[in-house]
Amino acid sequence: MSKPFDIEIASLTDALDPCCATALRPSSDARNDPGAKSFYIETFGCQMNVHDSEKVAGVLLARGYRPVDAAADADFLLYNTCSIREKAAQKVFQRLNDFKFAAKDNQKVIGVLGCVAQQEGEEIFERAPWVSLVCGSASYRNLPNLIEQVESGGRRVTGLDLDTDETFETEITRRDNPFRAYLTIIEGCDYSCSYCVVPHTRGPERSRASDSILVEVRRLADAGYTEIQLLGQTVNSYRDPSPRKWNFVDLLLAVAEIEGIRRVRFTTSHPNDFTREIVEAIDSTPALCDHIHLPVQSGSTRILREMRRTYTREQYLEKISWIHGARREFSLTTDVIVGFPGETEADFEETLTLLDAIQSDGVFAFKYSPRPNTPSLAMPDAIPEEEKSRRLAVLQERQRQIQIARNEKLVGARFEVLVDTHHTARSQWAGRTTSNRIVNFSTSRENFLGQYVQVHITRSAPNSLIGEEVQGGEAE
Ligand code: SF4
């Protein structure tokens, strides 16, 4: 029998994994004219960044560039950065040093995009003079113009404007995931959580017009995508800027109705804008996935107030009670920050009891660390590093026990799985259920990546389920 495997808690959902590096790779539809100028994009950060890079790649394809899969082969080298990581700027400058030699020898053009570009601004030119372009995400709509300036020999070209009500839309988006299409519906953030750099790096909240979103979803369905993931820093704050003025639920229902779309996900939701109508829409619409990622950050109302999260423990728990009361069995995941300045043992204990109460299927837990340009940077009562590590370990173990118990109850169940991975060494396939659970399974069939299959669960692990394909049980 092939060996099952399990993954870390942080991988259970891919909601906002802050520390993954991705290189955009050439796809079969990429332009492969060897005479064309080439580009390479290296991406750090969340799905929003990954999808931004897909759209930036689209801008370059439209200008006749061709993608390459090694920085050394590229004429235009772009580095899409993330400032959630600790010492983010320092790491960016280290990486830019790697690029320096390539730039000198081969006359490459180097650009820095994303949150660190916005945060450090023109300082990047001072510390890395071989960089020609610095552009934050709120200015991506100007990229064609900025790239033209760089192509004409421009040096120190910047896009650092945060004062915008426009979103970044492209004619072409070069998507790398063949099974799940990301689609940003809202950019920026109007909240001001005291630990977060996003309002400073991504600008104010701006939603994309519903018509334009639906046109893109129809195109994706025509291209064979069956699963759509709607993205936004606060995705459920969506407000249609067009005259029909749809809210988030209106949009969700319209996307779910598009022919060919079988699964619609969304991330990340803010508890303040999480309404009972969202739960009711999912409950009554099978194409809307029964998974909610709802970051709580702390179980203590006092700490939530210090974090400026705009809800209390009780208000969060009330929203969770709507999810627990739904007819469909929802999967829930959340984010927690431990060791926020001033967090007492009693505050931390409240976070643990909240995890017991909500019974989530995954927690992204982080130790607090201060970030530049955030109000919490100056807060007193910092928690020692060893204590933060202790709390994190305690929390992770508590959550692990919750997940073991929850997953054991799923043994014997049957799930529809969208197959997205083949582990050759283990002779196993893997995919996700509509509730975003990872299922590893064996089958005698071959070559069915991208298909929906029925899997009978035979064993469980803390972070995944293990099963066997139900022969003859293929979904349509
Ligand atoms: S809601 Fe808070 S944590 Fe989320 S992006 Fe906005 S400011 Fe940051």
Side-chain angles (χ1 to χ4, degrees):
M1 184 180 290
S2 52
K3 191 175 175 298
F5 77 106
D6 197 21
I7 57 160
E8 295 301 311
I9 287 176
S11 306
L12 208 152
T13 75
D14 47 10
L16 276 176
D17 180 0
C19 289
C20 54
T22 319
L24 261 182
R25 305 180 66 79
S27 64
S28 54
D29 63 352
R31 297 177 186 192
N32 285 319
D33 172 5
K37 283 193 171 181
S38 56
F39 73 94
Y40 174 87
I41 307 181
E42 191 166 298
T43 306
F44 274 84
C46 62
Q47 289 162 347
M48 298 272 298
N49 258 19
V50 171
H51 184 45
D52 280 346
S53 287
E54 291 179 333
K55 291 198 279 185
V56 171
V59 170
L60 288 161
L61 286 169
R63 297 186 69 80
Y65 284 77
R66 68 188 164 88
V68 290
D69 59 3
D73 299 333
D75 299 308
F76 197 176
L77 229 156
L78 286 161
Y79 188 25
N80 193 356
T81 61
C82 169
S83 56
I84 297 286
R85 301 182 307 153
E86 215 172 347
K87 301 188 181 127
Q90 189 181 318
K91 287 173 184 162
V92 166
F93 284 111
Q94 279 165 4
R95 188 68 181 130
L96 288 175
N97 261 325
D98 297 340
F99 291 163
K100 173 182 178 180
F101 300 101
K104 253 189 189 168
D105 296 348
N106 302 321
Q107 305 292 310
K108 292 179 195 298
V109 175
I110 295 177
V112 183
L113 308 175
C115 292
V116 176
Q118 187 70 49
Q119 189 178 291
E120 300 296 310
E122 301 202 13
E123 174 69 15
I124 291 176
F125 298 131
E126 301 303 322
R127 292 181 59 184
W130 52 95
V131 170
S132 300
L133 170 69
V134 172
C135 182
S137 65
S139 296
Y140 288 164
R141 68 199 184 286
N142 296 330
L143 262 181
N145 172 33
L146 300 175
I147 292 170
E148 199 173 317
Q149 290 179 44
V150 170
E151 285 170 343
S152 326
R155 306 283 300 163
R156 295 184 163 230
V157 175
T158 55
L160 297 170
D161 185 13
L162 277 178
D163 184 20
T164 178
D165 54 8
E166 289 178 51
T167 52
F168 176 36
E169 306 208 14
T170 51
E171 276 300 307
I172 305 173
T173 298
R174 220 289 304 279
R175 288 185 164 83
D176 272 14
N177 186 326
F179 310 115
R180 174 186 289 179
Y182 296 129
L183 202 152
T184 300
I185 61 166
I186 176 168
E187 297 173 10
C189 181
D190 280 351
Y191 287 97
S192 53
C193 303
S194 59
Y195 53 83
C196 182
V197 291
V198 166
H200 178 77
T201 57
R202 285 190 170 265
E205 186 179 290
R206 48 227 191 260
S207 294
R208 195 174 157 193
S210 54
D211 260 343
S212 152
I213 294 169
L214 295 181
V215 165
E216 187 164 358
V217 176
R218 281 190 204 102
R219 273 198 213 132
L220 289 166
D222 289 346
Y225 281 97
T226 56
E227 181 170 320
I228 302 290
Q229 180 151 354
L230 305 177
L231 298 179
Q233 226 75 45
T234 54
V235 71
N236 56 331
S237 311
Y238 177 82
R239 295 281 177 274
D240 185 2
S242 74
R244 64 180 167 198
K245 295 194 180 305
W246 277 356
N247 65 20
F248 181 59
V249 170
D250 297 327
L251 181 73
L252 271 185
L253 293 171
V255 171
E257 267 180 18
I258 291 177
E259 202 177 329
I261 299 301
R262 291 177 63 150
R263 289 184 174 182
V264 182
R265 304 186 184 281
F266 55 88
T267 199
T268 288
S269 297
H270 192 290
N272 202 46
D273 297 316
F274 190 78
T275 60
R276 199 188 278 271
E277 288 68 37
I278 296 174
V279 177
E280 288 169 354
I282 296 172
D283 223 0
S284 58
T285 315
L288 296 179
C289 291
D290 44 5
H291 167 229
I292 302 284
H293 183 72
L294 199 61
V296 65
Q297 308 302 5
S298 171
S300 156
T301 295
R302 191 182 72 79
I303 293 296
L304 288 171
R305 199 180 310 121
E306 294 295 311
M307 289 176 165
R308 302 187 191 165
R309 287 293 288 177
T310 72
Y311 53 86
T312 63
R313 171 192 175 96
E314 289 68 31
Q315 286 165 333
Y316 183 85
L317 287 174
E318 187 193 0
K319 289 169 194 248
I320 298 302
S321 74
W322 303 337
I323 295 172
H324 286 165
R327 290 185 302 277
R328 285 174 83 183
E329 173 96 13
F330 282 51
S331 161
L332 171 71
T333 51
T334 191
D335 295 340
V336 170
I337 297 171
V338 297
F340 191 77
E343 183 190 70
T344 62
E345 191 61 32
D347 293 318
F348 177 60
E349 188 59 34
E350 286 201 80
T351 299
L352 295 179
T353 58
L354 182 129
L355 291 186
D356 292 342
I358 68 173
Q359 292 288 300
S360 77
D361 296 290
V363 172
F364 290 91
F366 302 97
K367 289 188 284 184
Y368 169 80
S369 62
R371 294 290 181 268
N373 304 306
T374 58
S376 66
L377 189 63
M379 283 184 180
D381 302 327
I383 308 294
E385 205 51 37
E386 318 80 70
E387 178 57 14
K388 284 193 244 175
S389 299
R390 186 193 69 80
R391 290 182 190 177
L392 182 65
V394 168
L395 184 144
Q396 285 177 330
E397 182 50 30
R398 185 86 150 239
Q399 178 60 26
R400 188 179 140 82
Q401 294 306 323
I402 290 171
Q403 288 176 212
I404 288 172
R406 285 183 64 74
N407 283 354
E408 273 174 1
K409 288 187 191 147
L410 298 174
V411 173
R414 178 171 160 164
F415 287 106
E416 182 186 77
V417 172
L418 171 56
V419 185
D420 58 17
T421 309
H422 184 215
H423 300 289
T424 317
R426 299 184 190 97
S427 298
Q428 267 192 335
W429 298 82
R432 287 180 190 254
T433 65
T434 172
S435 53
N436 216 30
R437 291 188 171 91
I438 294 170
V439 177
N440 301 293
F441 65 98
S442 46
T443 176
S444 52
R445 288 207 291 150
E446 290 180 359
N447 298 333
F448 60 133
L449 283 173
Q451 292 183 31
Y452 290 82
V453 301
Q454 298 288 324
V455 177
H456 174 73
I457 304 304
T458 53
R459 280 172 293 157
S460 66
N463 302 301
S464 62
L465 301 169
I466 301 114
E468 285 163 14
E469 188 194 3
V470 179
Q471 296 297 331
E474 299 100 85
E476 296 159 15

